Amino acid sequence: MDKKYIILIASILIFLISLPAISQVIDEKERYANTPDELIPYVRQEPYRRYFIVPLEYTGPGREKPEPTDLDAVKIGLIAPEYRLVPPGVSMEDQYFEMGRHIIQGAVLAVEEANARGGYRGKLPYKLIKRNDPVLEVKDSWLWGPFSNQVVDLAYEDKVWAIVGTIGGENSHILIRICLKIEIPVVNVADTDPTFPETKIPWVFRPIADDRLQCYLLAKYAYEKMGYNRIAAIRVNGRYGRVGIKEFREASRRLGHPLLFELRYNYGQTDFSKHLQRIKNAPVDAVITWGNAEDSARLLKQMRAMGLKQPLLASDRIVCEKFLKIAGADAEGVVAAYPWDPTRDDPRLVSFKKRYQKRFGEPPETYAAHSYDGVNMLIQAIEKAGLNRAKIRDALDGFRTNIYHGVTGYIPLNDVYCDVGPIALAIVENGKFVFRSEGKLGIRLSKFSEK
């Protein structure tokens, strides 16, 4: 028999043998977060082990420490990119500092309102201690030394009870490893790096949906709702682009539509002609990009200028006025993943928007809302636990079962303390972003999705 027929028969037999495994039902206890059946890894065979499905716990010391009696305030640390710390001759996008400003404002409002209610148990005011996140995202290089010093200073000089922040996956990974050694709670309100919980550090909590869940929703929308078959990726050459697009790439493969190819560009790049020429020469149904707003807008403008009409899918960082301003009319129809639906008819959200607008003279955006929720969760944990870092960690762990309902919606924490509540898509219609919840899209990943 011809060799090629032998290979074909063998392939068919292997496929048939795997069919029972494909149809196996994955028990909810064996399912990571909101992963749909068709996106669960290794459904064609039983893996040796499934990770991140066992609740984290802290079994070390610290709970026996008495509460101090000589304090004049209860300090909460906050790390966000507040001002520039960039070497001469290096350019830096303003988006990081806009994100940092909103994170700070959300935290400030939460602390001010807590103090208006009487502060810590009616005895002490809460005090926000801000430290700058020295962002430098050039060729995937960040200022880890200065950032590390900020974390250490917060813990030992400022003596904060917990730390809130920050944005980039690079600095966040440094932050949580230092805090593991210090044994201090961390509430991350802005970093959507999907590898963040893989460290399995029991001091770390993230009340914002990550890129993994956002990519699941985006992939199911692209392939199942829109019927795209061939998608190409263009992403920024940095950690944000690398780990973000990885989730979409894997979701595409599991849905039976492997990415045609994946191209990279540098932060601040202005000429994408070589990338786009390859797309022009290939049978591409849609393009997905993972990067900051300004870069993504320039990419889109050049796509349209070269006559490329394919729909553009993108990450949540493009959902801002800067993207719309730069892209102009070319932005119409762009679809981006988003960690929540900011147009929900929720009294908590409506009231928050009014208070935020009055306090800061502008509407809140995603980082302000998530920062507000994260700080309020932390304050609630401090009120319950008292001034003991280990007990504050335990109280934050309690939000796994006692689900917090904030201005961004329900925040159910999974076994590795990440928000797996409802997410959404942001679609540009008539020059504005319009939000479609899981319920409206008919793609429900979270059990808290509205119908």
Side-chain angles (χ1 to χ4, degrees), residues 210-228:
D210 65 9
D211 288 342
R212 182 188 62 84
L213 283 182
Q214 292 184 52
C215 281
Y216 283 176
L217 184 62
L218 197 58
K220 287 178 71 63
Y221 172 82
Y223 298 116
E224 297 178 359
K225 294 293 183 180
M226 300 306 295
Y228 305 143

Side-chain angles (χ1 to χ4, degrees), residues 58 72 86 99 113 121 124 149 162 167 191 197 206 215 228 230 235 242 247 295 347 352 361 446:
Y58 172 65
D72 57 6
V86 179
M99 293 160 68
E113 291 180 349
R121 296 182 176 178
L124 296 171
N149 292 337
I167 292 173
D191 177 19
R206 180 166 62 180
C215 281
Y228 305 143
R230 299 173 297 275
R235 53 92 168 171
R242 183 174 66 253
E247 298 299 329
D295 293 338
F352 165 70
S446 173

